Amino acid sequence: MGAVLLVTGGSRGIGAAVVARAAAAGWDVCLTYRSDADAAESVVARAREAGVQASAVRADVAVEADVEAAFAAADALGPLGGVVVNAGVVSPKSRVDAMSAARVADMLAINVVGAVVTCREAVRRLSTAHGGRGGSIVLVGSAASRLGSAGEYVDYAASKAAVDTLGLGLAKEVADEGVRVNVVRPGIVDTEIHASGGQPDRVERIGPLVPVGRAGTADEVAAAVAWLLSDEASYCTGSILDVAGGR
Ligand code: NAP
């Protein structure tokens, strides 16, 4: 394939599963992480076992200079061909009437501002209008954008609605510049994100209530992302693909 894929938040969970799938498909991969260097390096080592180039860079997507540095690290591997905008966080359970502005701002800086800045850097490299060769951007949103997450984190759900809209609008903006932009919306997926939001039992509690009767796996989400990245999805842009077990 000979193209580089940048995956934000690729050290754990869905991002790590995307890296594994992408490496198996022949992408050279640059992944970002925020704090867990050991986890990132083990994902890199597994990707290299697939025979591709791989690297990890510490980059907080809420910090513009970090995002720019992450793309520079990806550029060092070769020409960029795709970006998976995956890094995202949830906040502790709270009703809206108890939320501080600081909590909401911190989350939006990662889930929304980080996503927009990541897309900006992606388009600057992929778009034929910027001298690029085209490529594919996949945004990891959430089914929360249509469910609303009442009583849990409506602010997070709203941030993921912004991700849906970012995908829809950006897809139209760059459709004739060789860049496809799509959104994958996971439902409840078995990763550490739930514990990070103070609900370590969330998968166990809510999984059985999903129409298919269980939570999803990171690899099931990664399969959808990998397909949208691939030429098999050549006529898909501006699509929102739910991977949510019917939820
Ligand atoms: P996760 O297991 O908590 O992993 C999050 C990843 O993002 C880690 O690699 C983490 O790096 C990185 N990260 C966190 N904050 C970051 C920041 N500010 N800058 C750069 N990287 C950062 O999460 P996940 O469940 O795989 O979620 C991935 C995406 O799927 C998120 O956008 C999430 O909203 C979405 N999603 C998840 C679910 C679910 O049920 N799991 C459902 C719907 C949507 P460190 O390890 O270094 O901190």
Side-chain angles (χ1 to χ4, degrees):
M1 177 174 298
V4 176
L5 178 71
L6 177 71
V7 181
T8 67
S11 59
R12 292 187 286 115
I14 291 167
V18 168
V19 171
R21 284 238 173 208
W27 290 90
D28 294 316
V29 188
C30 178
L31 67 92
T32 77
Y33 64 98
R34 181 167 59 170
S35 53
D36 193 342
D38 290 343
E41 284 309 326
S42 66
V43 175
V44 165
R46 281 200 299 278
R48 286 184 184 144
E49 283 168 16
V52 300
Q53 298 186 86
S55 65
V57 53
R58 199 210 66 78
D60 184 340
V61 296
V63 177
E64 188 173 19
D66 280 14
V67 177
E68 290 166 348
F71 274 86
D75 293 341
L77 296 181
L80 196 71
V83 176
V84 180
V85 186
N86 168 73
V89 293
V90 295
S91 301
K93 192 171 175 174
S94 172
R95 282 172 48 108
V96 169
D97 51 14
M99 286 177 190
S100 70
R103 160 205 165 105
V104 179
D106 288 350
M107 193 267 307
L108 292 178
I110 296 169
N111 291 7
V112 180
V113 181
V116 174
V117 172
T118 302
C119 285
R120 181 192 76 194
E121 293 303 310
V123 169
R124 285 178 179 177
R125 287 161 175 80
L126 299 176
S127 163
T128 54
H130 289 278
R133 307 188 304 182
S136 174
I137 299 171
V138 179
L139 297 153
V140 180
S142 173
S145 69
R146 57 178 169 74
L147 295 170
S149 305
E152 267 195 319
Y153 26 60
V154 169
D155 52 350
Y156 167 79
S159 80
K160 291 301 187 177
V163 169
D164 288 354
T165 307
L166 171 61
L168 294 174
L170 182 60
K172 289 177 179 154
E173 209 164 280
V174 297
D176 63 353
E177 298 172 14
V179 184
R180 295 185 297 106
V181 185
N182 294 286
V183 181
V184 168
R185 287 198 304 212
I188 178 152
V189 179
D190 190 2
T191 71
E192 293 166 0
I193 201 170
H194 311 289
S196 75
Q199 299 188 67
D201 64 339
R202 192 165 179 268
V203 165
E204 204 173 277
R205 208 167 17 87
I206 301 176
L209 307 177
V210 174
V212 300
R214 64 172 177 85
T217 66
D219 188 55
E220 287 174 310
V221 179
V225 173
W227 178 72
L228 284 167
L229 286 172
S230 78
D231 290 341
E232 293 290 307
S234 55
Y235 201 58
C236 286
T237 196
S239 306
I240 296 181
L241 177 52
D242 285 310
V243 184
R247 192 162 184 243

